[in-house]
Amino acid sequence: MLVKDVMRRAVCIDPQESVATAARKLRDENVSCLPVCRGARAIGMLTDRDIVIRAVAQDRAPYEMTVREAMSAEALSCAPDDTVEQAACLMRQAHVRRLVVVDRDACVVGVVSANDIGASDVAGCESKPLPFEVVFYKEVVDHFGRTHRSELMRVRVARGPRDEAIRTAMREFEQMRQIDRWDALADGYDVISDRIDS
């Protein structure tokens, strides 16, 4: 069976929209994920879990926080003519539960989830390193002279080894903050290995 036989319509969102707008779209469309698109191309993925972890749990204002700040960067994709086994294998390797389906021009044509393809029943894929979240911070000194880390932004990268994930997160941070180098604004970063499927 092919991905195009089981995929669902993609409901996309612009990276500059608010998290509140995204939450309403998830509710209204009855979906659990939104490909984050610039034009017809995906630059990330936003899930209901991303909103809970990065907005609600962090006490971020949903009308002020953008989709770009909450999304997982570099959405993993597959092709409509890939087999469901290939899609399932990719999900297992990257520890994700959804893939964006793109055509030959890299334009979004759908979304496929682990539930759609019965990924839990597909065997034979070795697990690769888990996704990473890179947290950029600024060091601030309080009136007692103690140094504290003030979080500037979190970037979740769904694939690749640790060093590659960090480089991807740095590029995303620079682009989002419109700076040439990440360390022009941030004093450092922490890397968190995400051990829960998105």
Side-chain angles (χ1 to χ4, degrees):
M1 184 178 290
L2 302 179
V3 168
K4 65 184 177 185
D5 299 321
V6 296
M7 71 182 191
R8 300 178 186 207
R9 178 179 66 93
V11 179
C12 299
I13 192 163
D14 186 274
Q16 296 308 317
E17 291 284 359
S18 71
V19 166
T21 299
R24 285 194 301 273
K25 187 172 269 197
L26 287 169
R27 178 199 65 198
D28 295 345
E29 297 287 343
N30 194 27
V31 294
S32 59
C33 70
L34 301 169
V36 182
C37 297
R38 186 180 291 122
R41 299 191 176 195
I43 62 168
M45 179 76 86
L46 181 74
T47 67
D48 46 9
R49 180 178 176 272
D50 290 330
I51 292 174
V52 170
I53 298 298
R54 297 196 185 97
V56 177
Q58 297 292 324
D59 285 330
R60 298 288 302 274
Y63 290 96
E64 296 173 9
M65 185 178 191
T66 65
V67 166
R68 187 177 203 120
E69 293 175 273
M71 73 180 193
S72 296
E74 291 197 352
L76 290 177
S77 62
C78 62
D81 291 326
D82 286 349
T83 66
V84 293
E85 289 83 6
Q86 289 171 315
C89 190
L90 180 56
M91 288 179 193
R92 286 185 171 222
Q93 288 173 340
H95 297 269
V96 297
R97 296 189 54 79
R98 302 165 188 91
L99 300 174
V100 178
V101 185
V102 298
D103 63 17
R104 291 182 181 178
D105 297 320
C107 295
V108 176
V109 295
V111 173
V112 66
S113 72
N115 290 341
D116 295 332
I117 61 178
S120 59
D121 298 328
V122 179
C125 297
E126 293 183 13
S127 181
K128 290 187 177 177
L130 295 163
F132 295 99
E133 189 162 48
V134 181
V135 183
F136 294 92
Y137 62 83
K138 186 85 173 168
E139 291 185 342
V140 295
V141 179
D142 66 17
H143 64 280
F144 294 110
R146 295 178 298 210
T147 302
H148 301 273
R149 291 181 175 180
S150 175
E151 182 180 314
L152 297 174
M153 182 175 168
R154 289 176 177 245
V155 179
R156 185 167 186 262
V157 183
R159 64 178 170 184
R162 187 177 192 274
D163 290 345
E164 183 182 327
I166 292 170
R167 286 192 297 273
T168 297
M170 287 176 177
R171 287 193 301 271
E172 181 70 20
F173 180 74
E174 291 163 354
Q175 187 176 31
M176 179 63 190
R177 298 294 175 149
Q178 299 178 345
I179 53 177
D180 293 328
R181 290 183 48 87
W182 70 271
D183 53 3
L185 182 60
D187 291 321
Y189 58 84
D190 292 319
V191 182
I192 303 166
S193 182
D194 189 341
R195 298 186 175 272
I196 304 173
D197 286 346
S198 55

